[in-house]
Amino acid sequence: MTSPVTYARQGRIGLITIDNPPVNATGQAVRAGLIDAARAFAADDAAQAGVLICAGRTWVAGADISEFGRPPQAPFLPDVIAAIEALEKPVVAAIHGTALGGGLELAMGCHARIAAPSARMGLPEVTLGLLPGAGGTQRLPRLIGLMPALEAMTSARQIPAPEARELGLIDALADGELTAAAIALAETLAGQPPRRTRDLPAPEADPAATDALKARLVRSLPGQIAQTTAVDVATEGLALSFDEGMAVERAGFLALMDSPQRAALIHAFFAERAVAHLPQIAGVPPRALDRVGIVGGGLMGAGIAVSCLLAGLDVTLLERDQAGADKAAATVADLLAGAVSRGKLAAPRRDAILADAFRTATDHEALAQADLLIEAVFESMDVKRQVFAALDRVAKPGAVLATNTSYLDVNQIADATSRPRDVIGLHFFSPAHVMRLLEVVVPDRAAPDAIATGFALAKRLKKVAVRAGVCDGFIGNRILAHYRAAVDAMVLDGADPIAVDRALTGFGFAMGPYAVTDLAGLDIGYMTRQRKAADRHPRDRVPAFADRLYEQGHLGRKSGRGYYDYAAKPPVPNPDLPALLEAVRADLGLTPRGFDADEIVARTMAAMVNEAARVVEDGTALRPLDVDVVMLNGYGFPRWRGGPMHWADAHGLDRILDDIRRFAAEDDHFWRPAPLLVDLVATGRRFADLNEGQSA
Ligand code: 3H9
């Protein structure tokens, strides 16, 4: 087998090239190849300096993550980097694309660094539940100072090359072609002793600043261990000799490698990439995607428009009348202004978008040239069918027609057209220009290239797309409805909604369910209950307290009061809530009882996992990992727990099934174990076994 690392010489410069697509990760073959190439360079007397460069789209993007969790294989990356740093002739790292994790650590072990102006570099290990394990904690502070280095490794921020130059992380920006510029730099260093990062003085400790940073990390990332461990390891190591510091780093890295958080975060990383690999669209090219038409300019339609505009697409937004069009245009302008003020968009680019790429219209004919039409109107089957019949009349042949419904039957919507092959669901999450999740809902007759176009759109918008089957609520909202029912039942039986929120944010959710309700508006849940009232089973439990709050005009944030009172800053629990709950329970003849935080979490998670198992079993989600990606990106599930299915595997499916059976003793209508869960427990399998080896 040929090595992914080669050595060649140009004049008196030795050229070491890594070529390991797609991202030049330092798997075992690259590590072994680097040792061999370093030896060849050292032995080549005609070479007086070297250049280390990468083929393909990027410099080394890190260690090979797919090797994590398996027995490590020599040579180890810290030793490879040490061997390069120990060379007697200077080596220049020539960086393009992204130098991340072990990739940046490799560059810091070289004796000089030059980068293409577009390159970015960073230490993102904490996002995988790790800390830099190949010298990053010891070399980066020596190059750029203690606090900038700690900030970089705890935030995982990608530093643009010009800023890296100012920080002293790199020595030069390439002027022109990178290889030539790197060789020119190496020429200036030829014959000189190599400058080794390890020999630079370690920066002084600053306990007040590091304590403040750790306190901030504990506050902003509750429950996560990698960030604070990285600070401790870096500072402890810097107080020692370089070699002792490296030993401290190694021990910290290996300890985190064994942590459940590392397993969860790496599962999330691979799951987010696996969702795009659908057998149904393998090798199917998407349709053209330049012009987008959006029907409906409310907050959702405007958010989708902004998301498309920021991705460089041309957008026409259709409203019913001129007043509606003007209002929608104002919303789009506001959202773009927000992007400018947050530094995400340059003002001249915003002006160009508004002048050239965006327009409103009131006549369907304006959508005739769109490649993709996205409907974002009122959630009513009749209204949506009318819209689709109208789109069918004007859309060009081959245009993809998408509905943004969050629960309606997309097959019925497709039937309103003469071209059901072109119809899919694109379920965006609000605010659409911020939230990363996109459920691509696949009705029965959708053509593979229409589905592929949904996935291509997500990639273009930098969102993660997950395929979902047609059912009420698709993947996410269906699971949400189920665990909402579980928390509402606890509140009916005596739990305090505020304590429920506290227990679930303690578990790691970004927000508790009642704070979320206040944010969305209590009218949303009320309307949903009204809509479903006719189909309600007599044993379904109705959150009468939520109806009563709504009836009293408490709609949450928008009215100033819901479960919390927003007149106070920060908001406090609504002081009238305990009496309201007491009255509702008395009316229903319920005797309240207590629920501690563990019980609240156990019931919520059991309900979520049980419904998720049904969602997988009936094919609404393709695999358990698709559920995890939905809940991580659309519902605030803590990433460091990997998603509900990964969490369930780690927690033990048998324990969850036991819980469900225990809860069923009180309510065997709601707590019916999903057959898939029962089967997995009976056969000693896990959800991960159903991921077909597509996630770590
Ligand atoms: C580390 O370095 C530890 C060290 O400190 C210590 C070691 C001792 N390994 O994201 P994309 C695959 S920890 C293996 O779609 P993009 C990815 O799965 C590591 N595979 O492309 C995908 O495969 P597929 C620190 C990797 O252009 C394909 O490459 N580094 C790795 O949108 C394309 O990926 C990181 O955390 C990897 N390291 O983004 C960087 N990286 O096509 C992680 C990617 O089969 N990587 N793959 O689905 C990234 O952030 C992005 O992939 C990157 C490219 C920005 C590089």
Side-chain angles (χ1 to χ4, degrees):
M1 216 175 74
T2 55
S3 171
V5 185
T6 49
Y7 176 70
R9 188 161 42 72
Q10 276 191 25
R12 55 179 187 154
I13 305 301
L15 214 59
I16 300 172
T17 306
I18 304 176
D19 187 1
N20 185 34
V23 296
N24 287 316
T26 56
Q28 196 275 339
V30 169
R31 299 195 300 272
L34 278 169
I35 292 279
D36 290 345
R39 278 197 193 120
F41 167 64
D44 183 355
D45 290 337
Q48 291 180 22
V51 166
L52 176 54
I53 195 159
C54 291
R57 59 169 151 139
T58 180
W59 173 266
V60 174
D64 186 340
I65 303 172
S66 61
E67 288 182 350
F68 293 174
R70 301 199 212 132
Q73 278 186 297
F76 303 124
L77 191 58
D79 301 334
V80 173
I81 295 172
I84 291 173
E85 191 173 45
L87 288 165
E88 298 297 338
K89 299 180 278 191
V91 175
V92 173
I95 302 169
H96 75 294
T98 42
L100 300 176
L104 180 57
E105 292 173 302
L106 175 63
M108 292 192 293
C110 295
H111 310 109
R113 284 153 292 283
I114 183 167
S118 58
R120 283 168 296 138
M121 47 213 84
L123 295 175
E125 285 86 345
V126 291
T127 60
L128 303 171
L130 290 167
L131 53 80
T137 68
Q138 302 304 298
R139 288 194 181 89
L140 188 62
R142 282 176 161 84
L143 283 168
I144 70 172
L146 181 62
M147 293 319 289
L150 293 180
E151 187 273 331
M153 66 183 89
T154 56
S155 71
R157 183 169 73 93
Q158 289 187 10
I159 303 170
E163 185 187 341
R165 170 79 189 88
E166 276 172 26
L167 283 168
L169 177 52
I170 59 173
D171 304 282
L173 290 171
D175 190 10
E177 205 268 321
L178 180 63
T179 314
I183 289 176
L185 177 59
E187 287 284 356
T188 67
L189 300 176
Q192 292 183 33
R195 187 191 72 154
R196 300 189 177 101
T197 309
R198 58 171 287 149
D199 295 338
L200 297 174
E204 291 283 316
D206 183 350
T210 47
D211 286 351
L213 173 63
K214 277 175 62 179
R216 182 162 59 75
L217 292 168
V218 169
R219 258 197 325 276
S220 60
L221 303 163
Q224 297 194 48
I225 54 174
Q227 288 79 357
T228 47
T229 311
V231 175
D232 288 341
V233 160
T235 47
E236 193 186 323
L238 288 166
L240 306 168
S241 71
F242 180 82
D243 289 329
E244 290 165 334
M246 287 296 289
V248 170
E249 180 191 90
R250 189 78 191 150
F253 178 79
L254 292 176
L256 287 179
M257 189 60 103
D258 280 340
S259 78
Q261 294 195 8
R262 190 279 304 161
L265 287 161
I266 287 182
H267 165 75
F269 178 88
F270 282 115
E272 280 174 359
R273 282 151 184 88
V275 285
H277 298 304
L278 287 189
Q280 208 176 358
I281 58 168
V284 176
R287 299 183 190 173
L289 187 54
D290 296 311
R291 278 176 293 214
V292 178
I294 295 171
V295 185
L299 201 55
M300 183 52 97
I304 297 171
V306 167
S307 189
C308 292
L309 290 167
L310 291 173
L313 294 163
D314 178 278
V315 175
T316 303
L317 197 158
L318 185 80
E319 258 294 340
R320 260 184 308 206
D321 50 32
Q322 197 52 48
D326 293 344
K327 193 160 173 246
T331 313
V332 167
D334 273 357
L335 295 177
L336 287 174
V340 172
S341 63
R342 284 195 309 278
K344 301 250 177 234
L345 181 68
R349 170 110 186 82
R350 182 263 318 267
D351 297 343
I353 285 174
L354 287 174
D356 305 328
F358 175 66
R359 69 208 63 82
T360 57
T362 56
D363 182 350
H364 281 82
E365 288 297 332
L367 304 179
Q369 291 313 312
D371 303 309
L372 166 68
L373 291 148
I374 305 173
E375 159 281 309
V377 303
F378 184 63
E379 284 280 77
S380 140
M381 182 56 86
D382 290 343
V383 177
K384 303 241 182 214
R385 283 176 60 93
Q386 279 166 25
V387 169
F388 272 74
L391 293 180
D392 191 20
R393 283 192 290 275
V394 297
K396 69 179 183 185
V400 174
L401 274 47
T403 169
N404 177 52
T405 181
S406 46
Y407 59 85
L408 292 172
D409 183 341
V410 185
N411 282 313
Q412 278 188 43
I413 297 175
D415 285 344
T417 72
S418 64
R419 40 174 128 181
R421 286 176 50 78
D422 297 336
V423 178
I424 58 171
L426 288 178
H427 181 208
F428 286 84
F429 288 71
S430 192
H433 60 299
V434 176
M435 296 290 287
R436 277 187 81 212
L437 180 64
L438 181 66
E439 281 180 318
V440 178
V441 186
V442 177
D444 297 342
R445 279 166 295 164
D449 62 347
I451 304 166
T453 308
F455 277 84
L457 174 75
K459 199 163 174 74
R460 194 83 190 259
L461 305 185
K462 297 197 169 66
K463 295 193 187 295
V464 275
V466 179
R467 175 221 165 267
V470 175
C471 68
D472 190 338
F474 313 129
I475 298 175
N477 281 346
R478 188 168 138 193
I479 295 171
L480 170 71
H482 207 75
Y483 78 80
R484 280 296 324 206
V487 290
D488 286 344
M490 281 189 272
V491 171
L492 283 169
D493 290 336
D496 171 15
I498 310 304
V500 171
D501 277 2
R502 211 177 302 121
L504 293 174
T505 51
F507 177 81
F509 275 95
M511 286 172 88
Y514 294 99
V516 170
T517 304
D518 274 0
L519 186 63
L522 272 77
D523 46 331
I524 306 280
Y526 184 84
M527 300 301 170
T528 307
R529 285 190 292 281
Q530 295 285 313
R531 171 171 68 86
K532 292 189 164 176
D535 305 327
R536 194 177 291 148
H537 188 281
R539 290 189 62 194
D540 285 351
R541 300 186 70 188
V542 181
F545 56 90
D547 288 348
R548 199 161 297 180
L549 272 173
Y550 168 82
E551 283 152 11
Q552 292 179 0
H554 298 313
L555 305 186
R557 278 179 195 244
K558 63 178 102 167
S559 71
R561 235 184 213 199
Y563 294 95
Y564 296 83
D565 183 344
Y566 296 90
K569 300 257 177 303
V572 294
N574 176 349
D576 298 338
L577 191 59
L580 182 145
L581 287 168
E582 204 176 310
V584 168
R585 289 176 191 132
D587 288 352
L588 295 169
L590 295 165
T591 311
R593 64 189 171 96
F595 291 84
D596 65 20
D598 288 345
E599 182 76 1
I600 291 169
V601 169
R603 284 174 182 260
T604 309
M605 290 308 301
M608 193 181 298
V609 170
N610 202 28
E611 186 63 9
R614 282 192 273 262
V615 160
V616 172
E617 190 168 17
D618 68 19
T620 300
L622 211 56
R623 300 150 294 196
L625 66 85
D626 296 76
V627 171
D628 283 341
V629 173
V630 165
M631 301 314 287
L632 292 176
N633 290 285
Y635 296 85
F637 196 94
R639 193 175 172 85
W640 53 274
R641 292 197 189 267
M645 307 311 252
H646 179 87
W647 176 87
D649 279 348
H651 184 75
L653 298 190
D654 50 347
R655 287 171 69 192
I656 296 171
L657 186 57
D658 285 349
D659 277 346
I660 293 173
R661 290 187 167 139
R662 179 163 61 88
F663 305 147
E666 300 156 11
D667 179 354
D668 61 0
H669 168 66
F670 180 76
W671 293 106
R672 277 171 294 167
L676 176 64
L677 184 61
V678 174
D679 182 49
L680 289 175
V681 172
T683 53
R685 289 180 302 155
R686 305 179 313 148
F687 286 120
D689 294 321
L690 307 179
N691 285 334
E692 297 171 325
Q694 297 207 48
S695 96

